[in-house]
Amino acid sequence: MSNHLVWFRSDLRVLDNPALSTAAKSGQVIGLFLLAPKQWQEHGLAAKKIAFVLRSVDALSQRLAALGIATRIIVADRFADAPQQVLQAAQAVQASKVFWNDEIAIDEQRRDNAVAQALTASGIAVERHQAFTGLPPGSVCKPDGSAYSVFTPFKKRWISIAMEQGINPLPAPTAQGPVVDAATVPDPLNGVDKFLGADFWPGGEERALAQLTQFTAEAVAAYDTDRDLPNLAGTSKLSPHLAAGTLSANQCLEAAQQNNDGKLSGGVSGIDTWISEIIWRDFYNHILAEHPRLAMGRAFKAETDQLPWNHSQEQLQRWQQGETGFPFVDAGMRQLNRTGWMHNRLRMVTAQFLAKHLFLDWRLGEAYFMSQLVDGDFAANNGGWQWSASTGTDAVPYFRIFNPVRQAERFDPEGEFVRQMIPELSDTNAKQALEPWKFGGVGNYPEPMIDLREARDRTLAIWKHARA
Ligand SMILES: Cc1cc2nc3c(=O)[nH]c(=O)nc-3n(C[C@H](O)[C@H](O)[C@H](O)COP(=O)(O)OP(=O)(O)OC[C@H]3O[C@@H](n4cnc5c(N)ncnc54)[C@H](O)[C@@H]3O)c2cc1C
C-alpha cells in the first residue's frame, strides 16, 4: 500500500475532511502541519488566533494518533519555504501522493500552486479538494454562468443546489493501524504562547462538536430574536472553529437541518436565520475567490478608493482602545481587546463608527480587527468591513449610518452589556450607562470624542460630493 501525505491547514478536523477521507481510502496516511508563525504575524493575524490554531493542531494530532496516523509538525518561516518543506516531508515518508483541501485567498493559492509544481516535478502526485465552504467557490452561478454579487439571489441558488445535492458531511476515516504517538507543537512558537486565550477558547474538534450540539439543542431556535442582544448567549460562538476548520460549514448545516425538519429555509425562523449566516460566510468566500483584488487592499466598489479617507492616528487609537466616549462602541472594542471576539451587532456598530462617523479608512479598522480576532477570517472580515463602510458588494447604502446611542437603546436598553465591559460605568443606571455625558460624565470615563450629528453630516457631504 502506498504512503499518502495529508497536509492540514484551515481544516483541522478528522470529520468531514475530504482530503483526509480520500487519502485514507487508498493509502497509509501520514499527516503534515506546516506552521508559518512569521508569515501569519506578517499577515497581521492575532496572537490569540495563532494560539487557537496551535492548540487545535495538538488536538488534531491526538485524534489522528488514535486512528494510527502519525503526524509531522514542521516550522517554516514563510509561505515561500512551503514548496521545499512539503517536498522534503513527502520524500522523507516516501509518499506517492500529497492531498490537501484548498484555501481561498490569493497568497495561499499562489503558495499551493508552487507546492503542487514542486511535487509533480519530483514525480509526486497531488490531489486537491474543497472543504472550507458549504459549496465550493465558483459552483454557485447565475443561469448565464457569471458570479453573483448580491446576497439574496446567491442564497436562493445556493439553497436550491444544496437541497438537490444534500448536505452530507463525511465520516472520520477508518483506523489506519494501532495507536501511535501524537506530535506536539513546540511552546512558545516564535514568541506565541500556545495557551494564550485558552480559558475563553480551548480549541480542537471535540470542543467544536460539543459546542455545536449544545447550541443546536438550546439556542438556535431563538436565534432570530436573541442574536442581536449582546448581553445574551444568543449566538453560537463557533466562529473561531469555522475559521480554523475544527468544524465545517456542512457540519453546522447538517445539525441545523436535522432540527429544522430537513429544511434549509421555510422552517423554524431562528434556524433559518442561522443557516442564512452560514451562507453569508460562503458568499463572502465566493466573492473573495472571484475578486482576488480584495486581498490586495482594494475596495469592491473601486471608485470608493478615491474618497478622501481620514488617517488620524489619534482618533484610530481612541477607537482601538475603547475610549471614544460612546459606551456601546467602547463596550464592543473592549470585548474584542479582552476576549479576542466581538458580538456581531457590535462589529457592525464599531465598524460604522470608524468608517462613517470618524470617516477613518475602513482598512485601518479591518487590520485592527484581524490583529485581535480569535476568529479572524479574511473573507468574512473584509466582507463585514466593506459592508459597513459602504464600499463592498451588497453593502449598506452610504447614507445609512448607525447611531451608536440609538443602537444601544435598541440592543442594550438596560446598559447591561455596557456595564459588564466598561468598569468605569459599572455603577451607573441604564440612562447614565448609555449617555453618561448627559449626567455630567461618570468618573474618568472619557467625554464623547465627536459630535455625532456634525460627524454624520460631514461624512454625508463627502459622499454626496464624490458621487456628484
Ligand atoms: C466588521 C465585521 C468584521 C467581521 N469579521 C469577521 C471575521 O474576521 N471572522 C468571522 O468569522 N466573522 C466575522 N464577521 C461576521 C460575524 O460578526 C461573526 O461571524 C460572528 O459574530 C461570529 O459569532 P458566532 O460564531 O456566534 O456567529 P453566529 O451568529 O452563531 O453565526 C454562525 C457562523 O456563521 C458565520 N457568520 C455569521 N455572520 C456572518 C457574517 N455576517 N459574515 C460572514 N460569516 C458570518 C460565522 O462563521 C459564524 O460563526 C465580521 C462582521 C463584521 C460586521
Side-chain angles (χ1 to χ4, degrees), residues 22 35 40 64 84 108 118 130 134 167 198 250 258 266 274 292 312 340 346 348 364 393 395 419:
T22 321
L35 309 177
W40 296 339
L64 290 168
Q84 195 54 28
E108 284 75 1
Q130 302 276 353
I167 308 274
N250 279 335
Q258 279 169 356
W274 195 63
S312 161
L346 276 307
M348 294 192 288
L364 297 170
T393 173
R419 277 194 295 275

Side-chain angles (χ1 to χ4, degrees), residues 40-58:
W40 296 339
Q41 284 161 331
E42 273 173 26
H43 273 201
L45 292 194
K48 286 197 182 96
K49 170 162 178 149
I50 298 175
F52 182 86
V53 167
L54 300 180
R55 288 194 291 280
S56 299
V57 166
D58 277 349

Side-chain angles (χ1 to χ4, degrees), residues 211 215 223 227 234-240 242-243 252 274-282 284 341-352 369-370 373 375-388:
Q211 213 171 304
F215 177 71
Y223 178 77
R227 69 178 180 141
T235 71
S236 69
K237 290 198 170 177
L238 284 169
S239 49
L242 283 158
C252 293
W274 195 63
I275 290 171
S276 257
E277 296 306 322
I278 306 282
I279 304 176
W280 268 106
R281 177 179 178 274
D282 261 38
Y284 283 139
W341 183 88
M342 196 198 292
H343 189 279
N344 181 59
R345 174 57 48 185
L346 276 307
R347 292 192 207 208
M348 294 192 288
V349 169
T350 56
Q352 283 222 4
F369 265 30
M370 212 60 183
L373 281 172
D375 65 15
D377 170 72
F378 186 85
N381 192 40
N382 183 267
W385 272 96
Q386 296 222 43
W387 179 89
S388 306

